[in-house]
Amino acid sequence: GYKVCIFAYGQTGSGKTYTMDGEGTNPGVNQRTLESIFRLISELTSNNKTTDESPVCTVKLSMLEIYNETIRDLLAPQQKSKKKLDIRFDQTNQELYVPGLTEVSVKCMNDVKEQMKIGRNNRTVGAHNINEHSSRSHLVVTVTVVNKHKDKVHRGKLNLIDLAGSERINKTEATGERLTEAKSINKSLSALGNVIQALGSKDKKKHVPFRDSKLTYLLQDCLNGSSKVMMFVNISPVEFNFQESMCSIKFAQRCAAVNLGQAKKNTESEQIVTLKQTIENLRSKLN
C-alpha cells in the first residue's frame, strides 16, 4: 500500500541502464523487484487459501519516456505512440497521472519481460563520443499493485526510473539533434537537483519547484514526503571522468541529507473505493 520510487542517477555511460535492466543472467533492479512482488503475492494468496476471504491482487505495468520534455508512451501501438501526453491531477485518488498512458495487466514474470522488451525497443537511444548506446530520455516504469482483502483495499505504486545521463558538451562533442537532447537532459537533471535542494532545506515553507520540468512534476507524488525513495548514484571508474564523478558524489550527499518524513500507507475501505469510482464515472460523463 505504499508509494515507492527507485532512481538510477549518474553521468552518461556510468552504468545506470545496466543497474536497472541488467543483462542476460544478471538481472537488474527492475526484474529483481518485480520477481519479489510476484513472490510476495504468491505467498500472500497461499497463506490465505484456507480462509473464505482470500486476497485478490492485480498488477499493472506502464512504461514512458520523457524525451526533450515530451512524454512518450513506450507500450502504445505504433500508430498511437506519437500521441501527445500530459500530466494531470486525479481528484479522486489525489495523485498525478498521465491520461491515455497504456497500462497493461501482468500476471507473471513472462508477461513483464514481454512488455519490458517492447518498451526498451521503443526507447530513444543515440551515440556520442562518451557512450555508443546513450539513453536520450528518462525512462519511468510504473508498477501499480492493488490488493483487495476482506473489506480493505491496499493500493501501492512503484516507480522504477532510469534517468538519462548528465553530459559535458565539450566531452561528448554533441551537435544538432544530440546537442538539443543533451541540453534538455541537463536542464531536467538540474531541475531535479533544485527540487532535492529545496526538500533538504531547513525552511519547511520553502517553495519546491516541482513544475520546473516534466520529470519532477510527474514524480511529485513520490518526493512530497509520503513515499519511500531510494537512489543509486553511478560513477565512472575512468580518471578522465573524475570531475563528473565528484559532481555525482556531491549530489548523492545532498540526497542523503533529505528527510522526507514517514511514508504513508494507501489503504481504504472497499466502500470508499466504490464511491470514488462512482464519482469518477459521473465526472467523466459530465466532461
Side-chain angles (χ1 to χ4, degrees), residues 251-280:
F251 181 77
Q253 287 178 323
R254 293 215 310 268
C255 292
V258 175
N259 182 7
L260 293 176
Q262 184 68 38
K264 297 177 183 177
K265 216 171 188 179
N266 188 6
T267 302
E268 295 175 322
S269 70
E270 195 165 359
Q271 186 178 13
I272 290 176
V273 173
T274 303
L275 289 171
K276 281 187 173 182
Q277 189 59 55
T278 302
I279 292 170
E280 187 61 34

PDB file of all heavy atoms in Angstrom, residues 251-280:
ATOM      1  N   PHE A 251      26.058  15.236  -5.332  1.00  0.00           N
ATOM      2  CA  PHE A 251      24.598  15.138  -5.468  1.00  0.00           C
ATOM      3  C   PHE A 251      24.061  14.065  -4.517  1.00  0.00           C
ATOM      4  O   PHE A 251      23.023  14.248  -3.879  1.00  0.00           O
ATOM      5  CB  PHE A 251      24.231  14.806  -6.909  1.00  0.00           C
ATOM      6  CG  PHE A 251      22.744  14.709  -7.158  1.00  0.00           C
ATOM      7  CD1 PHE A 251      21.969  15.849  -7.264  1.00  0.00           C
ATOM      8  CD2 PHE A 251      22.128  13.470  -7.267  1.00  0.00           C
ATOM      9  CE1 PHE A 251      20.602  15.769  -7.483  1.00  0.00           C
ATOM     10  CE2 PHE A 251      20.762  13.376  -7.486  1.00  0.00           C
ATOM     11  CZ  PHE A 251      20.007  14.531  -7.596  1.00  0.00           C
ATOM     12  N   ALA A 252      24.778  12.952  -4.420  1.00  0.00           N
ATOM     13  CA  ALA A 252      24.380  11.875  -3.508  1.00  0.00           C
ATOM     14  C   ALA A 252      24.374  12.361  -2.063  1.00  0.00           C
ATOM     15  O   ALA A 252      23.481  12.004  -1.276  1.00  0.00           O
ATOM     16  CB  ALA A 252      25.327  10.690  -3.668  1.00  0.00           C
ATOM     17  N   GLN A 253      25.352  13.193  -1.703  1.00  0.00           N
ATOM     18  CA  GLN A 253      25.408  13.746  -0.340  1.00  0.00           C
ATOM     19  C   GLN A 253      24.189  14.622  -0.072  1.00  0.00           C
ATOM     20  O   GLN A 253      23.625  14.578   1.037  1.00  0.00           O
ATOM     21  CB  GLN A 253      26.689  14.552  -0.165  1.00  0.00           C
ATOM     22  CG  GLN A 253      27.950  13.705  -0.054  1.00  0.00           C
ATOM     23  CD  GLN A 253      29.201  14.543   0.072  1.00  0.00           C
ATOM     24  OE1 GLN A 253      29.325  15.603  -0.532  1.00  0.00           O
ATOM     25  NE2 GLN A 253      30.164  14.070   0.870  1.00  0.00           N
ATOM     26  N   ARG A 254      23.803  15.431  -1.059  1.00  0.00           N
ATOM     27  CA  ARG A 254      22.609  16.282  -0.894  1.00  0.00           C
ATOM     28  C   ARG A 254      21.360  15.425  -0.713  1.00  0.00           C
ATOM     29  O   ARG A 254      20.493  15.726   0.119  1.00  0.00           O
ATOM     30  CB  ARG A 254      22.438  17.201  -2.108  1.00  0.00           C
ATOM     31  CG  ARG A 254      23.504  18.248  -2.257  1.00  0.00           C
ATOM     32  CD  ARG A 254      22.975  19.562  -2.819  1.00  0.00           C
ATOM     33  NE  ARG A 254      22.189  19.416  -4.020  1.00  0.00           N
ATOM     34  CZ  ARG A 254      22.677  19.477  -5.263  1.00  0.00           C
ATOM     35  NH1 ARG A 254      23.984  19.637  -5.441  1.00  0.00           N
ATOM     36  NH2 ARG A 254      21.893  19.369  -6.305  1.00  0.00           N
ATOM     37  N   CYS A 255      21.266  14.358  -1.497  1.00  0.00           N
ATOM     38  CA  CYS A 255      20.100  13.478  -1.400  1.00  0.00           C
ATOM     39  C   CYS A 255      20.037  12.797  -0.035  1.00  0.00           C
ATOM     40  O   CYS A 255      18.960  12.674   0.561  1.00  0.00           O
ATOM     41  CB  CYS A 255      20.142  12.412  -2.499  1.00  0.00           C
ATOM     42  SG  CYS A 255      19.909  13.045  -4.162  1.00  0.00           S
ATOM     43  N   ALA A 256      21.199  12.362   0.456  1.00  0.00           N
ATOM     44  CA  ALA A 256      21.252  11.660   1.738  1.00  0.00           C
ATOM     45  C   ALA A 256      20.838  12.559   2.899  1.00  0.00           C
ATOM     46  O   ALA A 256      20.383  12.076   3.943  1.00  0.00           O
ATOM     47  CB  ALA A 256      22.661  11.115   1.975  1.00  0.00           C
ATOM     48  N   ALA A 257      20.965  13.867   2.710  1.00  0.00           N
ATOM     49  CA  ALA A 257      20.631  14.821   3.776  1.00  0.00           C
ATOM     50  C   ALA A 257      19.135  15.134   3.825  1.00  0.00           C
ATOM     51  O   ALA A 257      18.663  15.782   4.759  1.00  0.00           O
ATOM     52  CB  ALA A 257      21.418  16.112   3.577  1.00  0.00           C
ATOM     53  N   VAL A 258      18.394  14.676   2.817  1.00  0.00           N
ATOM     54  CA  VAL A 258      16.951  14.979   2.762  1.00  0.00           C
ATOM     55  C   VAL A 258      16.170  14.001   3.625  1.00  0.00           C
ATOM     56  O   VAL A 258      16.345  12.783   3.539  1.00  0.00           O
ATOM     57  CB  VAL A 258      16.434  14.898   1.300  1.00  0.00           C
ATOM     58  CG1 VAL A 258      14.925  15.100   1.257  1.00  0.00           C
ATOM     59  CG2 VAL A 258      17.128  15.942   0.433  1.00  0.00           C
ATOM     60  N   ASN A 259      15.307  14.540   4.458  1.00  0.00           N
ATOM     61  CA  ASN A 259      14.420  13.717   5.283  1.00  0.00           C
ATOM     62  C   ASN A 259      12.989  13.948   4.815  1.00  0.00           C
ATOM     63  O   ASN A 259      12.396  14.992   5.080  1.00  0.00           O
ATOM     64  CB  ASN A 259      14.568  14.091   6.766  1.00  0.00           C
ATOM     65  CG  ASN A 259      13.703  13.224   7.666  1.00  0.00           C
ATOM     66  OD1 ASN A 259      13.083  12.262   7.204  1.00  0.00           O
ATOM     67  ND2 ASN A 259      13.657  13.560   8.936  1.00  0.00           N
ATOM     68  N   LEU A 260      12.442  12.973   4.092  1.00  0.00           N
ATOM     69  CA  LEU A 260      11.094  13.122   3.538  1.00  0.00           C
ATOM     70  C   LEU A 260      10.002  12.850   4.562  1.00  0.00           C
ATOM     71  O   LEU A 260       8.831  13.108   4.312  1.00  0.00           O
ATOM     72  CB  LEU A 260      10.911  12.180   2.336  1.00  0.00           C
ATOM     73  CG  LEU A 260      11.760  12.490   1.098  1.00  0.00           C
ATOM     74  CD1 LEU A 260      11.529  11.422   0.035  1.00  0.00           C
ATOM     75  CD2 LEU A 260      11.431  13.868   0.543  1.00  0.00           C
ATOM     76  N   GLY A 261      10.364  12.314   5.707  1.00  0.00           N
ATOM     77  CA  GLY A 261       9.356  12.033   6.725  1.00  0.00           C
ATOM     78  C   GLY A 261       8.839  10.609   6.611  1.00  0.00           C
ATOM     79  O   GLY A 261       9.330   9.795   5.834  1.00  0.00           O
ATOM     80  N   GLN A 262       7.807  10.318   7.383  1.00  0.00           N
ATOM     81  CA  GLN A 262       7.237   8.976   7.463  1.00  0.00           C
ATOM     82  C   GLN A 262       6.376   8.677   6.240  1.00  0.00           C
ATOM     83  O   GLN A 262       5.469   9.434   5.908  1.00  0.00           O
ATOM     84  CB  GLN A 262       6.391   8.840   8.735  1.00  0.00           C
ATOM     85  CG  GLN A 262       5.826   7.452   8.972  1.00  0.00           C
ATOM     86  CD  GLN A 262       6.892   6.434   9.306  1.00  0.00           C
ATOM     87  OE1 GLN A 262       7.841   6.733  10.014  1.00  0.00           O
ATOM     88  NE2 GLN A 262       6.737   5.221   8.808  1.00  0.00           N
ATOM     89  N   ALA A 263       6.673   7.567   5.554  1.00  0.00           N
ATOM     90  CA  ALA A 263       5.846   7.151   4.412  1.00  0.00           C
ATOM     91  C   ALA A 263       4.468   6.732   4.895  1.00  0.00           C
ATOM     92  O   ALA A 263       4.319   6.174   5.987  1.00  0.00           O
ATOM     93  CB  ALA A 263       6.530   6.004   3.680  1.00  0.00           C
ATOM     94  N   LYS A 264       3.467   6.998   4.069  1.00  0.00           N
ATOM     95  CA  LYS A 264       2.083   6.708   4.447  1.00  0.00           C
ATOM     96  C   LYS A 264       1.517   5.565   3.616  1.00  0.00           C
ATOM     97  O   LYS A 264       1.724   5.504   2.411  1.00  0.00           O
ATOM     98  CB  LYS A 264       1.214   7.962   4.267  1.00  0.00           C
ATOM     99  CG  LYS A 264       1.617   9.117   5.149  1.00  0.00           C
ATOM    100  CD  LYS A 264       0.776  10.343   4.873  1.00  0.00           C
ATOM    101  CE  LYS A 264       1.231  11.530   5.715  1.00  0.00           C
ATOM    102  NZ  LYS A 264       0.459  12.761   5.393  1.00  0.00           N
ATOM    103  N   LYS A 265       0.802   4.682   4.285  1.00  0.00           N
ATOM    104  CA  LYS A 265       0.183   3.549   3.622  1.00  0.00           C
ATOM    105  C   LYS A 265      -1.118   3.994   2.950  1.00  0.00           C
ATOM    106  O   LYS A 265      -1.901   4.759   3.519  1.00  0.00           O
ATOM    107  CB  LYS A 265      -0.113   2.450   4.635  1.00  0.00           C
ATOM    108  CG  LYS A 265       0.071   1.041   4.115  1.00  0.00           C
ATOM    109  CD  LYS A 265      -0.030   0.042   5.249  1.00  0.00           C
ATOM    110  CE  LYS A 265       0.339  -1.346   4.762  1.00  0.00           C
ATOM    111  NZ  LYS A 265       0.269  -2.336   5.849  1.00  0.00           N
ATOM    112  N   ASN A 266      -1.330   3.523   1.722  1.00  0.00           N
ATOM    113  CA  ASN A 266      -2.534   3.893   0.976  1.00  0.00           C
ATOM    114  C   ASN A 266      -3.556   2.765   1.110  1.00  0.00           C
ATOM    115  O   ASN A 266      -3.629   1.859   0.279  1.00  0.00           O
ATOM    116  CB  ASN A 266      -2.179   4.133  -0.493  1.00  0.00           C
ATOM    117  CG  ASN A 266      -3.354   4.702  -1.272  1.00  0.00           C
ATOM    118  OD1 ASN A 266      -4.392   5.014  -0.710  1.00  0.00           O
ATOM    119  ND2 ASN A 266      -3.184   4.814  -2.570  1.00  0.00           N
ATOM    120  N   THR A 267      -4.347   2.825   2.173  1.00  0.00           N
ATOM    121  CA  THR A 267      -5.349   1.797   2.455  1.00  0.00           C
ATOM    122  C   THR A 267      -6.705   2.443   2.673  1.00  0.00           C
ATOM    123  O   THR A 267      -6.831   3.429   3.403  1.00  0.00           O
ATOM    124  CB  THR A 267      -4.972   0.993   3.713  1.00  0.00           C
ATOM    125  OG1 THR A 267      -3.685   0.407   3.525  1.00  0.00           O
ATOM    126  CG2 THR A 267      -5.988  -0.097   3.983  1.00  0.00           C
ATOM    127  N   GLU A 268      -7.714   1.894   1.996  1.00  0.00           N
ATOM    128  CA  GLU A 268      -9.077   2.420   2.121  1.00  0.00           C
ATOM    129  C   GLU A 268     -10.062   1.261   2.227  1.00  0.00           C
ATOM    130  O   GLU A 268      -9.746   0.129   1.847  1.00  0.00           O
ATOM    131  CB  GLU A 268      -9.442   3.281   0.906  1.00  0.00           C
ATOM    132  CG  GLU A 268      -8.613   4.541   0.774  1.00  0.00           C
ATOM    133  CD  GLU A 268      -8.926   5.305  -0.500  1.00  0.00           C
ATOM    134  OE1 GLU A 268      -9.150   4.665  -1.536  1.00  0.00           O
ATOM    135  OE2 GLU A 268      -8.942   6.537  -0.448  1.00  0.00           O
ATOM    136  N   SER A 269     -11.240   1.572   2.721  1.00  0.00           N
ATOM    137  CA  SER A 269     -12.275   0.541   2.753  1.00  0.00           C
ATOM    138  C   SER A 269     -12.816   0.346   1.340  1.00  0.00           C
ATOM    139  O   SER A 269     -12.763   1.250   0.501  1.00  0.00           O
ATOM    140  CB  SER A 269     -13.414   0.954   3.692  1.00  0.00           C
ATOM    141  OG  SER A 269     -14.142   2.034   3.137  1.00  0.00           O
ATOM    142  N   GLU A 270     -13.325  -0.835   1.069  1.00  0.00           N
ATOM    143  CA  GLU A 270     -13.849  -1.147  -0.264  1.00  0.00           C
ATOM    144  C   GLU A 270     -15.028  -0.242  -0.613  1.00  0.00           C
ATOM    145  O   GLU A 270     -15.231   0.122  -1.772  1.00  0.00           O
ATOM    146  CB  GLU A 270     -14.268  -2.622  -0.326  1.00  0.00           C
ATOM    147  CG  GLU A 270     -14.467  -3.121  -1.741  1.00  0.00           C
ATOM    148  CD  GLU A 270     -14.518  -4.638  -1.802  1.00  0.00           C
ATOM    149  OE1 GLU A 270     -14.380  -5.291  -0.745  1.00  0.00           O
ATOM    150  OE2 GLU A 270     -14.697  -5.154  -2.904  1.00  0.00           O
ATOM    151  N   GLN A 271     -15.787   0.159   0.386  1.00  0.00           N
ATOM    152  CA  GLN A 271     -16.938   1.039   0.172  1.00  0.00           C
ATOM    153  C   GLN A 271     -16.480   2.403  -0.341  1.00  0.00           C
ATOM    154  O   GLN A 271     -17.059   2.963  -1.280  1.00  0.00           O
ATOM    155  CB  GLN A 271     -17.730   1.195   1.466  1.00  0.00           C
ATOM    156  CG  GLN A 271     -19.035   1.985   1.286  1.00  0.00           C
ATOM    157  CD  GLN A 271     -19.822   2.086   2.580  1.00  0.00           C
ATOM    158  OE1 GLN A 271     -19.291   1.790   3.649  1.00  0.00           O
ATOM    159  NE2 GLN A 271     -21.069   2.493   2.500  1.00  0.00           N
ATOM    160  N   ILE A 272     -15.414   2.946   0.265  1.00  0.00           N
ATOM    161  CA  ILE A 272     -14.893   4.244  -0.164  1.00  0.00           C
ATOM    162  C   ILE A 272     -14.363   4.162  -1.586  1.00  0.00           C
ATOM    163  O   ILE A 272     -14.583   5.054  -2.410  1.00  0.00           O
ATOM    164  CB  ILE A 272     -13.795   4.722   0.804  1.00  0.00           C
ATOM    165  CG1 ILE A 272     -14.411   5.102   2.157  1.00  0.00           C
ATOM    166  CG2 ILE A 272     -13.026   5.910   0.221  1.00  0.00           C
ATOM    167  CD1 ILE A 272     -13.400   5.494   3.210  1.00  0.00           C
ATOM    168  N   VAL A 273     -13.662   3.071  -1.907  1.00  0.00           N
ATOM    169  CA  VAL A 273     -13.141   2.878  -3.262  1.00  0.00           C
ATOM    170  C   VAL A 273     -14.277   2.841  -4.275  1.00  0.00           C
ATOM    171  O   VAL A 273     -14.202   3.450  -5.357  1.00  0.00           O
ATOM    172  CB  VAL A 273     -12.304   1.579  -3.345  1.00  0.00           C
ATOM    173  CG1 VAL A 273     -11.902   1.278  -4.791  1.00  0.00           C
ATOM    174  CG2 VAL A 273     -11.058   1.703  -2.472  1.00  0.00           C
ATOM    175  N   THR A 274     -15.359   2.151  -3.941  1.00  0.00           N
ATOM    176  CA  THR A 274     -16.524   2.069  -4.839  1.00  0.00           C
ATOM    177  C   THR A 274     -17.153   3.435  -5.044  1.00  0.00           C
ATOM    178  O   THR A 274     -17.513   3.816  -6.164  1.00  0.00           O
ATOM    179  CB  THR A 274     -17.577   1.096  -4.253  1.00  0.00           C
ATOM    180  OG1 THR A 274     -16.967  -0.185  -4.062  1.00  0.00           O
ATOM    181  CG2 THR A 274     -18.766   0.950  -5.201  1.00  0.00           C
ATOM    182  N   LEU A 275     -17.285   4.205  -3.954  1.00  0.00           N
ATOM    183  CA  LEU A 275     -17.853   5.552  -4.051  1.00  0.00           C
ATOM    184  C   LEU A 275     -16.972   6.464  -4.902  1.00  0.00           C
ATOM    185  O   LEU A 275     -17.481   7.257  -5.715  1.00  0.00           O
ATOM    186  CB  LEU A 275     -18.041   6.145  -2.654  1.00  0.00           C
ATOM    187  CG  LEU A 275     -19.156   5.533  -1.795  1.00  0.00           C
ATOM    188  CD1 LEU A 275     -19.083   6.065  -0.372  1.00  0.00           C
ATOM    189  CD2 LEU A 275     -20.527   5.844  -2.404  1.00  0.00           C
ATOM    190  N   LYS A 276     -15.664   6.357  -4.737  1.00  0.00           N
ATOM    191  CA  LYS A 276     -14.733   7.156  -5.541  1.00  0.00           C
ATOM    192  C   LYS A 276     -14.862   6.833  -7.026  1.00  0.00           C
ATOM    193  O   LYS A 276     -14.840   7.717  -7.885  1.00  0.00           O
ATOM    194  CB  LYS A 276     -13.291   6.914  -5.080  1.00  0.00           C
ATOM    195  CG  LYS A 276     -12.894   7.673  -3.823  1.00  0.00           C
ATOM    196  CD  LYS A 276     -11.412   7.499  -3.554  1.00  0.00           C
ATOM    197  CE  LYS A 276     -10.951   8.375  -2.405  1.00  0.00           C
ATOM    198  NZ  LYS A 276      -9.492   8.250  -2.162  1.00  0.00           N
ATOM    199  N   GLN A 277     -15.012   5.537  -7.321  1.00  0.00           N
ATOM    200  CA  GLN A 277     -15.157   5.116  -8.721  1.00  0.00           C
ATOM    201  C   GLN A 277     -16.451   5.651  -9.308  1.00  0.00           C
ATOM    202  O   GLN A 277     -16.494   6.065 -10.471  1.00  0.00           O
ATOM    203  CB  GLN A 277     -15.135   3.581  -8.792  1.00  0.00           C
ATOM    204  CG  GLN A 277     -15.058   3.036 -10.215  1.00  0.00           C
ATOM    205  CD  GLN A 277     -13.838   3.498 -10.945  1.00  0.00           C
ATOM    206  OE1 GLN A 277     -12.718   3.311 -10.462  1.00  0.00           O
ATOM    207  NE2 GLN A 277     -14.010   4.116 -12.108  1.00  0.00           N
ATOM    208  N   THR A 278     -17.505   5.670  -8.500  1.00  0.00           N
ATOM    209  CA  THR A 278     -18.792   6.217  -8.953  1.00  0.00           C
ATOM    210  C   THR A 278     -18.663   7.705  -9.266  1.00  0.00           C
ATOM    211  O   THR A 278     -19.161   8.189 -10.293  1.00  0.00           O
ATOM    212  CB  THR A 278     -19.867   6.002  -7.868  1.00  0.00           C
ATOM    213  OG1 THR A 278     -19.980   4.611  -7.579  1.00  0.00           O
ATOM    214  CG2 THR A 278     -21.223   6.535  -8.353  1.00  0.00           C
ATOM    215  N   ILE A 279     -17.972   8.433  -8.387  1.00  0.00           N
ATOM    216  CA  ILE A 279     -17.745   9.870  -8.603  1.00  0.00           C
ATOM    217  C   ILE A 279     -16.960  10.107  -9.885  1.00  0.00           C
ATOM    218  O   ILE A 279     -17.277  10.996 -10.679  1.00  0.00           O
ATOM    219  CB  ILE A 279     -17.010  10.478  -7.385  1.00  0.00           C
ATOM    220  CG1 ILE A 279     -17.922  10.484  -6.161  1.00  0.00           C
ATOM    221  CG2 ILE A 279     -16.536  11.899  -7.693  1.00  0.00           C
ATOM    222  CD1 ILE A 279     -17.203  10.827  -4.870  1.00  0.00           C
ATOM    223  N   GLU A 280     -15.923   9.281 -10.095  1.00  0.00           N
ATOM    224  CA  GLU A 280     -15.080   9.430 -11.293  1.00  0.00           C
ATOM    225  C   GLU A 280     -15.889   9.154 -12.565  1.00  0.00           C
ATOM    226  O   GLU A 280     -15.742   9.844 -13.577  1.00  0.00           O
ATOM    227  CB  GLU A 280     -13.889   8.465 -11.200  1.00  0.00           C
ATOM    228  CG  GLU A 280     -12.863   8.647 -12.298  1.00  0.00           C
ATOM    229  CD  GLU A 280     -12.244  10.031 -12.297  1.00  0.00           C
ATOM    230  OE1 GLU A 280     -12.074  10.618 -11.209  1.00  0.00           O
ATOM    231  OE2 GLU A 280     -11.962  10.545 -13.395  1.00  0.00           O
TER     232      GLU A 280
END
